[in-house]
Amino acid sequence: MRRGRLPWALLAVLVLAQICYPLTGGATRAGLTVATVVLGWLLSVGHALLSRGTRTALALVAVATGGGFAIEALGVATGFPFGSYDYSGELGPKLAGVPLIIPLAWTWMAWPAWLAAVRLTGSRPGRIALAAVGLAAWDLFLDPQMVAEGYWRWRDATPALPGLPGIPVSNYLGWLLFAVLLMTALRPLAGPAVDRADGRDAPMFALYLWTYASSVLAHAVFLRLPASALWGAAGMAVAAVPLAVTLLRARRDGAGRGAAQPAPRVDAPA
């Protein structure tokens, strides 16, 4: 398999696993959740390695996976910055009270959120802000879904967003805080290669837009979580909608330029 096709292949398997999610339940659903997170981690880290090199992949793992574990361990131990919560035992083995797959989830969505921001703005502060919001807004889908499944619970869930009981507002603020720290650290550690987006990043853009659209549909229809469908749709739209519009315009403009090219001249034989 050509290296450029590997991210697309992993994305296809990930999409299939997510389609199967609402069709399962119990231990099967928990196992599928773990498998999906592992696939997402492999997809993002693999893409970073193939498209930007070893330095970028290691930086992504260090700040998103390593940093994700550190912030989660701090949260479980102290309640800062997310609020007081506990993980159940359904997501596999734990270390310091944190299931080992949880830091992988941070990595899974951090990379496409960063690349989407790079595609949308050339301002470094703007990229950090947009990437942080693009990552943190995903939790408007994730936390209600996982809490409904019983994968973790909050000791004090007040105050909560309207329609999203059981999850304190502090959780979303904590996500945003760590997302800002993560995106701020990623660029200097990963190097200048992450300051540019190009055609190699199409699988990551597809991943981000698929996550947005499929989450809205799943929460609204299959998971019966209409409030999180609305909150998530509004939150992730900050990055997802401009990204979709930008990609559609680029595709249209590219097709237009191709159509405007004159046909090659063919001289009649003498």
Side-chain angles (χ1 to χ4, degrees):
M1 178 184 294
R2 290 176 55 189
R3 291 173 56 177
R5 293 179 182 174
L6 181 58
W8 286 111
L10 286 172
L11 178 59
V13 177
L14 175 63
V15 168
L16 179 61
Q18 291 181 315
I19 290 173
C20 293
Y21 178 89
L23 307 178
T24 63
T28 301
R29 179 174 284 190
L32 192 58
T33 300
V34 172
T36 301
V37 173
V38 172
L39 281 168
W41 186 88
L42 289 172
L43 172 56
S44 287
V45 174
H47 178 270
L49 177 64
L50 293 174
S51 66
R52 302 304 195 283
T54 303
R55 176 180 174 179
T56 297
L58 290 176
L60 179 63
V61 171
V63 300
T65 310
F69 173 77
I71 199 72
E72 291 283 352
L74 178 66
V76 169
T78 70
F80 177 83
F82 307 107
S84 297
Y85 62 104
D86 296 292
Y87 286 103
S88 73
E90 297 185 62
L91 294 178
K94 300 179 186 179
L95 179 62
V98 180
L100 295 178
I101 69 156
I102 295 299
L104 306 189
W106 284 101
T107 314
W108 168 17
M109 287 304 296
W111 183 236
W114 171 263
L115 291 176
V118 170
R119 184 66 174 81
L120 292 171
T121 177
S123 162
R124 186 167 296 174
R127 286 175 177 175
I128 291 171
L130 184 58
V133 171
L135 172 58
W138 177 50
D139 193 53
L140 292 165
F141 291 119
L142 182 64
D143 239 276
Q145 180 179 337
M146 298 296 104
V147 168
E149 293 295 336
Y151 296 154
W152 57 81
R153 65 177 182 85
W154 298 90
R155 299 171 194 166
D156 181 4
T158 57
L161 293 175
L164 299 181
I167 306 160
V169 171
S170 60
N171 170 65
Y172 305 112
L173 296 177
W175 263 73
L176 184 59
L177 172 63
F178 178 62
V180 170
L181 295 176
L182 190 162
M183 299 305 175
T184 300
L186 181 61
R187 166 58 183 82
L189 289 175
V194 300
D195 273 340
R196 299 181 299 276
D198 55 41
R200 299 172 298 175
D201 301 328
M204 293 296 99
F205 298 148
L207 169 61
Y208 195 82
L209 295 176
W210 159 258
T211 299
Y212 177 63
S214 65
S215 296
V216 173
L217 177 63
H219 282 238
V221 178
F222 298 106
L223 301 178
R224 296 181 175 86
L225 297 170
S228 59
L230 292 173
W231 280 106
M236 280 192 77
V238 173
V241 171
L243 177 63
V245 170
T246 298
L247 294 176
L248 286 172
R249 284 177 176 171
R251 183 173 183 179
R252 181 195 62 194
D253 293 346
R257 284 193 296 270
Q261 294 297 319
R265 176 182 175 183
V266 178
D267 293 327

